[in-house]
Each structure stands twice: as C-alpha cells, then as structure tokens.
Amino acid sequence: MTAAAASLAGCADRPRVFRFTADGAETAYLADRMGKAKFVEGVAVSPIASTAEAQAMVVRVKTGESYHLHQNQDHLIYMLSGRGRMTAGGRSWIVVEGDLLVVPRKVPHKFVNLDREPAVGLVFYAPPFDPKDRVQVKEKGF
C-alpha cells in the first residue's frame, strides 16, 4: 500500500480537512469525509469541501471514464494512489501517485485506470463541480 493510500486508510497519520471561518475552524478526517460513495459507471465521487468559488473531491476510478470536457470548470487532480492513462488533446501519458494533472476548461480528456485497485485522486474544481457542465466529445485519432 502506498504512503498516500495508507494515510487515507488511517494506517498512518490521518490527513485532516480544515474549513476556516471568521470564528475559527471545523475539522474532519479526510477518510471520514470520503464516506461510502458508490461506484457509478466505474467512478466513485466523494465531495470533501467547497466554497462559492471552488470544490474539492476524492475521486476513485475502478475502470475509466469516457472522453469529455468541462465547459466552464478548470480542475486539478493530485494522484493519491494508483496508476492510469490520461488522454488529452489526442495524446496519452501514464500518470502515477504524486503526479499533478492540470486540466483547463474546454480541454477534452479521459482517465483510464491501469491497476486492479481503484486509482484515487484529490480533485479540485473551480468553479464547483456541476454535472451539467460535463460534455461528452468524440475522441480524435482513436
């Protein structure tokens, strides 16, 4: 088990989520916020925290996702565990734990898991995720 995965599973120091307010902060353990999100079409999404301008989620991918883009949302994906193939702009890269993926709005992309266990990413959306913003696109060259 990788250090990041062990940390999320509670086997190492447990990462926390802090939400700061004018009166202080509320805290929770990241693993607790992940809850029991069910896989739908090979992907499980657990919202972690949000503001009016951004949102953080933990996304677990068992299989992969179809080629798509987000019309109005940028997202950054920090790979917590696993290995996959990220395709964007007609090219593919193998991505692994510790990689940071930056996907600006309107860039067609997809992620396919390459391991038996789900790949896990900490995903930040700006503005917050809206499923209506996700548009399927035809994959070029494949």
Side-chain angles (χ1 to χ4, degrees), residues 30 34 45-49 55-59 76 80 121-125 128-130:
L30 183 59
M34 287 172 56
V45 177
S46 301
I48 301 300
Q55 183 175 28
M57 300 184 199
V58 170
V59 177
L76 293 89
L80 292 171
L122 181 57
V123 182
F124 299 91
Y125 284 93
F129 181 73
D130 176 357

Side-chain angles (χ1 to χ4, degrees), residues 6-28:
S7 183
L8 281 176
C11 298
D13 292 335
R14 295 183 68 195
R16 295 174 290 171
V17 176
F18 289 84
R19 180 168 171 79
F20 296 99
T21 66
D23 300 323
E26 61 181 62
T27 62

Side-chain angles (χ1 to χ4, degrees), residues 74-88:
D74 299 318
H75 58 288
L76 293 89
I77 306 152
Y78 180 76
M79 293 289 295
L80 292 171
S81 66
R83 180 175 67 99
R85 182 175 51 251
M86 183 69 167
T87 301

Side-chain angles (χ1 to χ4, degrees), residues 26-106:
E26 61 181 62
T27 62
Y29 288 107
L30 183 59
D32 295 342
R33 287 275 174 105
M34 287 172 56
K36 302 287 183 203
K38 296 197 183 324
F39 284 92
V40 176
E41 297 181 12
V43 179
V45 177
S46 301
I48 301 300
S50 64
T51 68
E53 300 298 325
Q55 183 175 28
M57 300 184 199
V58 170
V59 177
R60 295 178 293 148
V61 179
K62 259 189 200 178
T63 53
E65 57 184 1
S66 58
Y67 209 55
H68 67 282
L69 61 81
H70 301 268
Q71 295 183 84
N72 300 301
Q73 297 165 323
D74 299 318
H75 58 288
L76 293 89
I77 306 152
Y78 180 76
M79 293 289 295
L80 292 171
S81 66
R83 180 175 67 99
R85 182 175 51 251
M86 183 69 167
T87 301
R91 294 186 56 203
S92 294
W93 295 265
I94 301 300
V95 297
V96 298
E97 175 185 338
D99 286 346
L100 177 65
L101 318 175
V102 179
V103 185
R105 61 192 74 197
K106 296 185 169 102

